[in-house]
Amino acid sequence: MTTVPDVATFDPEIYRADFPILSTVLHGRVPLAYLDNAATTQRPRQVIDALVNTYEKHYANVHRGIHWLSDQSTDLYEEARENVRDFLGAETREEIIFTRGTTESINLIARSWGDWQVREGDEILLTEMEHHSNIVPWQQLSQRTGCRIRFLPITDEGEIELSALDTLLTERTKMVSLTAVSNVLGTVNPVEEITRRAHAAGALVTVDAAQAVPHQTVPLREWDADFVVFSGHKMLGPSGIGVLYGRAELLDAMPPFMGGGSMIQRVTLEGYEPADLPAKFEAGTPSIVPAIGLGTAINYLRNIGLEAIQAHEQRLTQRAHEVLAEVGGVQLLGPAQEKKAGIVSFVMDGIHAHDVAQILDRHGIAVRAGHHCAMPLHKRLRVSASTRASFYLYNTLEEVERIGEALHDLKHIFRRE
Ligand code: PMP
């Protein structure tokens, strides 16, 4: 058991000073309350400085230059890879592939592993709570190969119905791909158990960790997944950089995804020989500076400690649940607070999610409204859209109270009180 630091000692104000954008004042009077962290997070000065410093002092293309500056940028790029490896607890640098983000990582798996291993009649098992980026690449694989996509159902409370594994996991299942944390419901899924059962049935497992890696110490060994994917921009890093972790022997056996420079050993007019890992999956000039920025973001998160961040987010989530209950006429999506991460989605009786977000925006509160790239999930929950507040280390209890005040105002405008 890990000990969770005392939340009372966690002061977000200390960290807010590092984030220039958080001092924004909207409409000339209200301070920005940035509660759209599940979409993307903000960057601390340390990350911004790392980007500027690299462009000013260390920038050249990586790998192929035989000059001093290229060596500098290559070293920094590879240091960032080592940092990601260590942060995740992966064994070797060959297992860390830089991509543009979670979406590209899943597309890489579906194209490279999928086209190689999946045939007509095979099955891919997803869940009803997946983000579109963990649905559409598999649907495209199905179009190419004739494989069948199946879905683990969820309960009305937004948890995976594990008993459905008994019938849905069969010898036809080639891949189980699921999110570790739902980007709408905040549900924390039992990845470990699902991986164990999938492996016992002979299937591989992909974990979409876009909403997990930024907020918790990822138990890579316990999850025991074959692939784990996430995005830098949801963890204080730049956009345009993401990670695919894969088991080395699997990545080694997989054919390249994209072709071009850097991913080859040699090219002749007749054909090519792919490079070794990780270069094999990094065709073309990579996102050099964003990767370096991600390394800095990881250092920043590590200095604070992910357990402390997670405990702080739990406190905010708990208070958000209380505040929404006090407002009344609010349907909360997802399970009870103890079973979820710092994501709170809700529907207000008779008021569209976009109207809710607009009024919150007038109060300086940034939230997301709509289907959050999870249309099948909203259909399953029988709601057309929801409003989502999602927290990170720099959010405060005061910002959560402001949601309550804004929603009272909203009810007044819509004459619901
Ligand atoms: N999966 C989940 C669970 C997500 O929350 C997101 C981002 N909203 C993605 C995948 C896609 O990430 P990206 O847009 O960075 O590729």
Side-chain angles (χ1 to χ4, degrees):
M1 265 286 282
T2 47
T3 47
V4 176
D6 182 3
V7 285
T9 62
F10 189 93
D11 181 5
E13 294 299 340
I14 296 173
Y15 309 112
R16 287 180 73 83
D18 290 334
F19 293 79
I21 210 165
L22 296 182
S23 54
T24 304
V25 173
L26 276 91
H27 319 302
R29 57 190 169 82
V30 282
L32 168 70
Y34 186 77
L35 302 177
D36 195 16
N37 294 289
T40 197
T41 59
Q42 300 298 341
R43 278 116 213 79
R45 171 69 65 204
Q46 288 83 340
V47 170
I48 298 167
D49 285 351
L51 304 181
V52 173
N53 188 47
T54 307
Y55 279 123
E56 286 185 352
K57 300 198 182 108
H58 309 290
Y59 183 74
N61 212 331
V62 288
H63 301 305
R64 60 196 91 149
I66 316 174
H67 56 80
W68 180 83
L69 209 49
S70 171
D71 287 346
Q72 294 243 313
S73 103
T74 305
D75 285 352
L76 289 172
Y77 181 68
E78 291 305 328
E79 262 172 42
R81 191 191 310 278
E82 170 56 21
N83 209 352
V84 172
R85 183 205 67 71
D86 190 48
F87 180 66
L88 277 186
E91 272 173 31
T92 66
R93 62 181 284 280
E94 284 78 17
E95 296 181 318
I96 305 297
I97 311 294
F98 281 129
T99 63
R100 279 193 305 124
T102 305
T103 304
E104 184 176 300
S105 296
I106 298 175
N107 276 274
L108 188 161
I109 301 164
R111 277 273 172 187
S112 168
W113 172 85
D115 287 2
W116 173 50
Q117 287 292 317
V118 176
R119 298 285 169 269
E120 188 169 356
D122 288 344
E123 293 181 358
I124 306 292
L125 185 56
L126 311 176
T127 82
E128 286 181 334
M129 67 170 83
E130 297 311 314
H131 187 281
H132 295 163
S133 66
N134 194 27
I135 300 176
V136 181
W138 302 112
Q139 290 172 333
Q140 291 173 320
L141 175 67
S142 167
Q143 286 167 349
R144 294 195 297 277
T145 63
C147 73
R148 182 176 178 199
I149 314 291
R150 306 196 77 180
F151 292 89
L152 279 169
I154 59 165
T155 63
D156 288 341
E157 290 72 40
E159 292 180 80
I160 294 174
E161 281 191 29
L162 281 178
S163 58
L165 280 171
D166 297 342
T167 47
L168 288 175
L169 197 55
T170 71
E171 73 280 358
R172 288 187 299 279
T173 316
K174 290 287 172 298
M175 172 69 78
V176 179
S177 188
L178 81 157
T179 193
V181 173
S182 160
N183 68 310
V184 179
L185 308 166
T187 314
V188 179
N189 287 323
V191 173
E192 215 174 308
E193 182 173 351
I194 291 175
T195 305
R196 187 175 48 73
R197 297 207 36 195
H199 283 167
L204 298 189
V205 175
T206 296
V207 178
D208 173 351
Q211 300 293 349
V213 169
H215 307 277
Q216 65 173 96
T217 305
V218 161
L220 194 71
R221 234 166 277 277
E222 289 79 6
W223 277 0
D224 193 30
D226 301 281
F227 300 108
V228 175
V229 299
F230 58 96
S231 302
H233 69 96
K234 292 185 200 282
M235 51 190 294
L236 312 181
S239 55
I241 188 74
V243 172
L244 162 67
Y245 156 85
R247 279 197 294 111
E249 65 274 22
L250 195 53
L251 289 175
D252 206 35
M254 280 159 52
F257 169 44
M258 291 194 285
S262 302
M263 52 69 73
I264 48 88
Q265 202 80 264
R266 69 186 58 78
V267 182
T268 64
L269 293 182
E270 288 72 39
Y272 74 96
E273 206 181 302
D276 292 335
L277 291 173
K280 181 171 86 173
F281 289 109
E282 293 182 7
T285 300
S287 297
I288 303 165
V289 181
I292 295 165
L294 173 60
T296 310
I298 286 175
N299 291 341
Y300 186 89
L301 290 169
R302 280 179 140 172
N303 279 340
I304 300 174
L306 279 161
E307 281 162 22
I309 293 171
Q310 199 179 14
H312 174 63
E313 290 171 5
Q314 284 296 321
R315 178 81 194 93
L316 298 177
T317 304
Q318 184 187 346
R319 186 62 197 136
H321 277 220
E322 289 162 8
V323 163
L324 290 172
E326 284 159 19
V327 168
V330 176
Q331 181 198 345
L332 270 164
L333 304 183
Q337 179 253 325
E338 326 72 78
K339 293 185 177 175
K340 65 195 267 187
I343 293 175
V344 179
S345 293
F346 58 95
V347 179
M348 291 203 64
D349 292 348
I351 309 176
H352 194 276
H354 285 139
D355 293 327
V356 178
Q358 214 179 341
I359 298 294
L360 288 178
D361 183 50
R362 271 201 229 161
H363 287 254
I365 303 169
V367 294
R368 178 138 181 214
H371 52 66
H372 322 299
C373 298
M375 288 174 93
L377 172 62
H378 280 78
K379 189 164 180 221
R380 161 66 185 84
L381 298 173
R382 292 179 282 279
V383 292
S384 59
S386 60
T387 307
R388 178 183 71 189
S390 49
F391 307 120
Y392 214 11
L393 59 112
Y394 38 65
N395 292 123
T396 65
L397 280 169
E398 191 248 328
E399 288 174 326
V400 176
E401 301 302 332
R402 280 173 58 192
I403 300 177
E405 288 157 26
L407 292 184
H408 278 301
D409 184 34
L410 171 77
K411 283 179 85 175
H412 182 67
I413 292 169
F414 280 79
R415 305 206 188 291
R416 294 288 193 282
E417 65 182 13

